[in-house]
Amino acid sequence: MSADVTMTPVPAAITTPSRVEAGIGTLEFTDGYPTRTTAENLRDHLDYLHGVEAFMNSIQGVSLFAIRKGFQDAGIADGDVLIFSGLMDSRSLFLTANADTVYFWSFHDLSQGPLVVETPAETLGVFDDMWFRWISDFGLPGADRGQGGTYLLVGPGYDGPLPEGGFYVRHSRTNHVTLVGRAFINENPGDDPGPTVDRIKEQLKVYPYVPGGVGSSIGAFLTGKGRLGQPGSPQSPRFVEGTGLAMQTVPPNDFGHYELLDALVQLEPAEALDTELAGQYAALGIVKDEKFAPDKRLRAILDEAVAVGNAASRTVGMGAHPAEGFRYYEGDSAWWNMLFVGGFEFTNPPPMITADGIESFPNKGARRLHSRTSMFYTATVITPAMCMRLPGVGSQYLIANVDATGEAFDGAKTYRLRLPKDIPAARFWSLTLYDNQTRSMLQTEQLYPRAGSQEYPSPAAEAEADGSSVVYFSPTRPDDVEPGNWIQTDPAKGWFTVLRLYSPLQPFFDKTWRPSEIELVS
């Protein structure tokens, strides 16, 4: 080489040392090329990382798949509607379900064509796809605004004609969708669920869409812009009673998670997944139309990855890291909600509602992954109505996993919570207790582990002389505490609670009303 040729200096920052000490061990390179041992070590570690990421970033889909499997195991097929005529109790395992409203829940298959759903009035309802992505609200927050409406659900493979009008047309990225409705009973005498159940059974209809029928004009047919067909025939679905039914719908926290993930990937079109997420799963061998068959090496790695992924998901799913920004109040308050960080799409906080209108937050262009993991490790269903700051509509939630000193709740001890007067809920409020392990209603002799302003399914909480409501949590009811002001705990179980405000009012949003911390009594 000529002596007068100037060479570009090589910065040390772009080179790899021959020996790197890392948490996974010593990594060795021969002038940048990895040794065989290092390559094998890194291959295992990358599979481990993909396994952790795949667990934490697929909880939403696996959770819904597990619910559908729980329905099928209980003899509830797609198209059937599970209804809780006496409200849901603790005999079934559902992630943070409530014992306040009449649930009606179903799954539907759009692969054979669009479906018409006539929804009942006076409900909070939502359609989600099989990855727990929001399709549409129905009922009070939906386009029908609580009057009952006719929705047309269209699957990803449909390319046929659609109506000119007469329907709220909604498109799904998956062939299978879930319908979840909650209906109120507090407007009925004695909070009797009977009239509400009757209304749902009378008004809910599900049937195939017939192109050229209702929604398609004769004029469109005569001018060659559409076809002519007979109107569809509204049909009532088969209702299956859920109250008292013992069901298991919680997804597994072991290798079975990856098996359900694979089953979901196989169930739906490849296009149903974002390519980045699909790439995480594909790195483990979970690919559409391919058999998932990890060898002994990968199986051992995934067993460890799922244990760590579950531990991390449980940590963010119980609000254990104040740095996540999930805490609702400033200071050392335990009350939290993961949705105010990323909203229902886990990207931006829900907009502020001001006197001048909607004030949106700047789009940062990033998915709030921990917010999504936290949500679906703890709860089910997603809709803007769960985290919008609009008074008088939807419902709001605050979760507490620790007491006033930051210690996890001990089921053998007695705790007390004070809710100041004028609880900001136009419809009603409630507290429900959940098992730390299952994140489902705590199973004790008290089948409805709740307290609240409703008279059913447990006595309404009685207010103090100053208007505040005090609720106790303990294995046995303390002396001089009314039945409606006590929720039973299990001495062998940890627990957490969710405060629900139905049709929340402005003092909740501006935080001028605030629950006390939950204090240890004895």
Side-chain angles (χ1 to χ4, degrees), residues 171-424:
H171 294 266
S172 170
R173 291 176 61 183
T174 59
N175 282 321
H176 295 81
V177 299
T178 192
L179 175 161
V180 185
R182 295 168 293 154
F184 302 114
I185 66 172
N186 65 310
E187 296 176 349
N188 303 329
D191 292 338
D192 176 13
T196 298
V197 172
D198 291 343
R199 182 177 71 247
I200 295 167
K201 289 185 174 181
E202 177 185 354
Q203 297 179 359
L204 181 61
K205 310 291 182 184
V206 183
Y207 50 97
Y209 168 66
V210 179
V214 171
S216 301
S217 66
I218 298 295
F221 168 69
L222 294 175
T223 57
K225 297 178 181 178
R227 68 172 64 176
L228 192 62
Q230 296 300 316
S233 300
Q235 300 171 22
S236 296
R238 173 179 174 252
F239 287 94
V240 178
E241 181 54 58
T243 302
L245 186 63
M247 296 177 61
Q248 200 305 90
T249 69
V250 178
N253 293 330
D254 58 11
F255 182 78
H257 178 99
Y258 300 116
E259 294 176 314
L260 291 192
L261 172 58
D262 177 64
L264 175 56
V265 168
Q266 304 310 325
L267 178 70
E268 296 296 342
E271 294 76 17
L273 264 177
D274 296 325
T275 54
E276 291 291 332
L277 278 181
Q280 289 182 4
Y281 313 150
L284 305 177
I286 298 175
V287 182
K288 177 70 174 177
D289 294 331
E290 295 185 15
K291 183 177 177 57
F292 176 51
D295 57 20
K296 184 177 180 180
R297 178 199 67 86
L298 182 55
R299 173 60 192 266
I301 290 170
L302 291 181
D303 283 338
E304 181 180 358
V306 75
V308 172
N310 174 63
S313 300
R314 175 170 286 272
T315 298
V316 299
M318 291 192 157
H321 279 314
E324 296 285 357
F326 295 167
R327 300 299 171 96
Y328 192 65
Y329 301 103
E330 293 182 359
D332 296 327
S333 176
W335 295 104
W336 67 283
N337 183 317
M338 75 293 283
L339 291 177
F340 285 103
V341 169
F344 77 100
E345 292 180 306
F346 310 102
T347 52
N348 299 307
M352 302 296 292
I353 309 297
T354 71
D356 298 324
I358 298 295
E359 183 179 314
S360 298
F361 289 85
N363 186 355
K364 300 296 182 64
R367 188 81 64 195
R368 299 301 295 262
L369 298 177
H370 288 186
S371 175
R372 183 177 65 189
T373 296
S374 177
M375 172 64 194
F376 292 110
Y377 195 87
T378 305
T380 59
V381 183
I382 195 66
T383 161
M386 298 176 76
C387 62
M388 59 185 172
R389 306 180 203 263
L390 188 63
V393 181
S395 51
Q396 288 295 337
Y397 312 84
L398 290 179
I399 309 169
N401 298 78
V402 296
D403 67 15
T405 66
E407 294 296 319
F409 296 119
D410 183 340
K413 297 180 179 179
T414 298
Y415 298 86
R416 178 178 55 223
L417 166 67
R418 182 177 296 274
L419 301 175
K421 68 175 183 177
D422 299 327
I423 298 172

Side-chain angles (χ1 to χ4, degrees), residues 37 88 91 100 116 129 143 209 220 248 275 371 408 424 445 471 518:
T37 300
M88 189 184 295
R91 281 172 283 201
D100 308 320
V116 179
D129 76 8
Y209 168 66
Q248 200 305 90
T275 54
S371 175
E445 295 174 356
V471 177
I518 300 177

Side-chain angles (χ1 to χ4, degrees), residues 5 26 32 87 101 139 160 169 203 227 232 247 253 314 322 349 353 391 408 429 442 465 476 512 519:
V5 176
T26 301
L87 308 192
T101 60
V169 180
Q203 297 179 359
R227 68 172 64 176
M247 296 177 61
N253 293 330
R314 175 170 286 272
I353 309 297
W429 65 269
L442 187 67
T476 58
T512 54
E519 300 176 342

Side-chain angles (χ1 to χ4, degrees), residues 414-415 471-483 485-487 521-522:
T414 298
Y415 298 86
V471 177
Y472 287 81
F473 313 89
S474 59
T476 58
R477 180 158 58 95
D479 295 340
D480 301 324
V481 172
E482 297 296 328
N485 295 71
W486 168 66
I487 307 179
V521 176
S522 62

